[in-house]
Each structure stands twice: as structure tokens, then as C-alpha cells.
Amino acid sequence: MPARTTPTTQATQATQADETARIAGSTAAPGVLAVAGALAAACHPLPAAAVTLFAAALTAAAGQGPAAAAVTVGAVAAGQLSVGWCNDRADLPRDLAAGRRDKPLVAGTASAAAVTWAAALALLICVPLSLACGLLAGAVHLVAVAAAWAYNLRLKRTAASWLPYALAFGLLPAFVTLGLPGTPWPPLWLTAAAALLGAGAHFANVLPDIEDDLATGVVGLPQRLGARASAALAGLLVLGSTATLVVGPPGRVTAYGRLLLVMTTAGLLLAARRPTGRLPFLTTMAVAGADVILLIVELRP
């Protein structure tokens, strides 16, 4: 049965349409620094920086040379920038409906055209940088970037919303190791740990916005499960990632590994007490940073 359209609904839709048109068609010419700052805020800088630093740590742990590492990290950075800008541009109608004035596109500090062009340019830069690491390595990374774009444009509104995160994170170690001489695949435990971390980051990242997402038609798996169940699942996935990093490599479990497991468990239990805030996401980022340290220790030649 079609939804009934009331005068109030029509007015709201007209207001949102006018606001979208204003943002998309703005002819104002702000300063270069202001535009750069707005674009930086629209690229999801914290997750982009975290993933790029994770890639840098992987290159160090795998023993890539400085030149190869620079190209690898540059490709990841370009991919992450394209994904972040794509996300903000795709979410503009929903962000307008939710009144997200913290978003540069909604606040009017960045235009929709500028963000669209920035996403396209970053993606164009990502392709040759990825392929410069080797055809197989480059193809793997571009599949990961494509998965992230698919999340932004479609999959975030489905029960498979977790899959692009797991796939993209799980493929990141392969992108690094396949760029080494002999194109070796990473060990299975490393791929599993990265995929678990990615899926956990997805559940933790959406927790603060679940209510707004539901109101604007975004019904990914976390939104279907609810805040408490998603917070618990995020904790289990991140803990599973840490445990895999600790017990997966050959040899005895190190003292740092045991300490990391204890601290991860304590941090996740603390974060679970406030499932709708930013604490679960920040805790996930902190755990990821500690995991990176363990990874460097475990894999460094």
C-alpha cells in the first residue's frame, strides 16, 4: 500500500530538495584553505588515517623497501580518500534529513560537486598506484576499494553491510605481501584477523548513528540487530581478531600478546556499557593500534 503524502511531508521534501540544490549548485568561491579544510573533514579522516597507518605497519612488518612501501601506502591513502568522499556524497540526502550540520556538505562548507570530483580524482590516482605494486597485488587492492564503494552506494542498506568491511580489510595484508618478490600470499591467520577487525569496526562505527540511519532508511545488519546486540557483536569480532593475532603465528604466545588479550577484553567490556556512544568505535581504534604493534613484532623479518 503506498504511503500517504501529507502537506507536511511535501513541505519537508521540498525543503530537502531546495537544500540539496543549494549545496550542489552553490557558486560561492571560498578560499583555497577553506575548501581544503572542508574536503579534509568530508573524507572521514580518522578511519582513513587509521587504515593508511595499518597499511604502513604491514609494509614495515613485511619488509618492503622504502620506495615500494611509499607506493603501497600511497595507493591505500588514495583509495581511502575516494571511499570517504564517496560516502559523504552518497549520504547527502540522508544527512540533510537528519540535520547533520557536522557534515561539511550539509553545513555548506563543501559543495557536492567538489566532493564528487575529489572522490573521482582520488580513485583515478588509486588505480595506477595500486597496479604499480604488481598486477596481482593491484587487482586485489582494487577489489577491496570496489567493495568499499559498493558499501557506500548500496550494501550499507542491506543485511550484507558487514561483508565489504570484512572483504576490504581481509584483502589488505594480501595487497602488501603480493607486492613482495615472489608474490607470496599472507598467512591465513593474518587474513582472518584483518577480516574480523574490519567487520568489528563496521558494527562499532555505526553505533552512534543507528537511530538516524533507521529514520532515513538505512537498515544494514547493525541497524536490524539494534545497538546493544551490535555493540556486543563488535566486541566479540574485535576480540576474535586480537586472539587470532596472538595465537595464530607459530611459536609461543608472547607476554605482550597475553597482556593485549587482557587489555582488549577489559576495554571492550567497558565500552559495552555505553553502546550508543563513540566509546565502542574509539575502543576499536585503540585495539587496532595495539594489534598493529603486535603485528610488527610477529612479522618483522
Side-chain angles (χ1 to χ4, degrees):
M1 180 177 181
R4 185 179 61 175
T5 302
T6 65
T8 301
T9 303
Q10 292 175 335
T12 301
Q13 292 173 343
T15 300
Q16 292 175 4
D18 291 344
E19 187 70 6
T20 302
R22 179 189 67 79
I23 293 170
S26 175
T27 58
V32 174
L33 290 179
V35 172
L39 287 176
C43 75
H44 295 235
L46 181 57
V51 174
T52 303
L53 289 174
F54 182 39
L58 284 173
T59 62
Q64 280 195 357
V71 176
T72 301
V73 173
V76 173
Q80 288 301 302
L81 287 173
S82 78
V83 170
W85 283 321
C86 168
N87 184 279
D88 256 28
R89 181 61 184 89
D91 281 353
L92 176 56
R94 290 185 292 275
D95 288 339
L96 285 170
R100 291 291 302 272
R101 300 292 297 178
D102 57 313
K103 297 280 191 174
L105 280 171
V106 178
T109 55
S111 70
V115 172
T116 300
W117 279 105
L121 179 60
L123 185 60
L124 286 175
I125 293 172
C126 176
V127 173
L129 286 178
S130 299
L131 295 177
C133 300
L135 291 180
L136 182 56
V140 164
H141 185 238
L142 293 177
V143 167
V145 174
W149 274 67
Y151 170 83
N152 289 339
L153 300 177
R154 171 59 184 162
L155 292 180
K156 72 186 300 179
R157 300 186 294 276
T158 73
S161 60
W162 59 274
L163 184 58
Y165 272 79
L167 179 62
F169 274 74
L171 289 177
L172 188 55
F175 174 47
V176 173
T177 62
L178 289 171
L180 296 171
T183 60
W185 287 90
L188 183 59
W189 59 264
L190 178 55
T191 299
L196 287 169
L197 180 62
H202 167 54
F203 283 93
N205 188 40
V206 302
L207 286 174
D209 302 321
I210 280 183
E211 295 302 324
D212 287 342
D213 288 342
L214 290 173
T216 54
V218 178
V219 284
L221 188 56
Q223 291 85 359
R224 297 172 191 228
L225 294 177
R228 290 196 176 277
S230 293
L233 187 53
L236 289 174
L237 290 167
V238 172
L239 182 60
S241 173
T242 302
T244 303
L245 283 177
V246 170
V247 304
R252 300 179 61 182
V253 175
T254 65
Y256 177 81
R258 290 192 292 270
L259 177 62
L260 180 58
L261 272 177
V262 172
M263 293 181 63
T264 298
T265 303
L268 293 172
L269 287 174
L270 178 63
R273 300 178 64 181
R274 297 177 59 186
T276 58
R278 293 289 293 173
L279 187 58
F281 176 69
L282 295 176
T283 302
T284 300
M285 292 296 100
V287 170
D291 286 351
V292 165
I293 296 174
L294 176 63
L295 188 62
I296 294 175
V297 173
E298 296 282 8
L299 289 186
R300 194 166 184 82

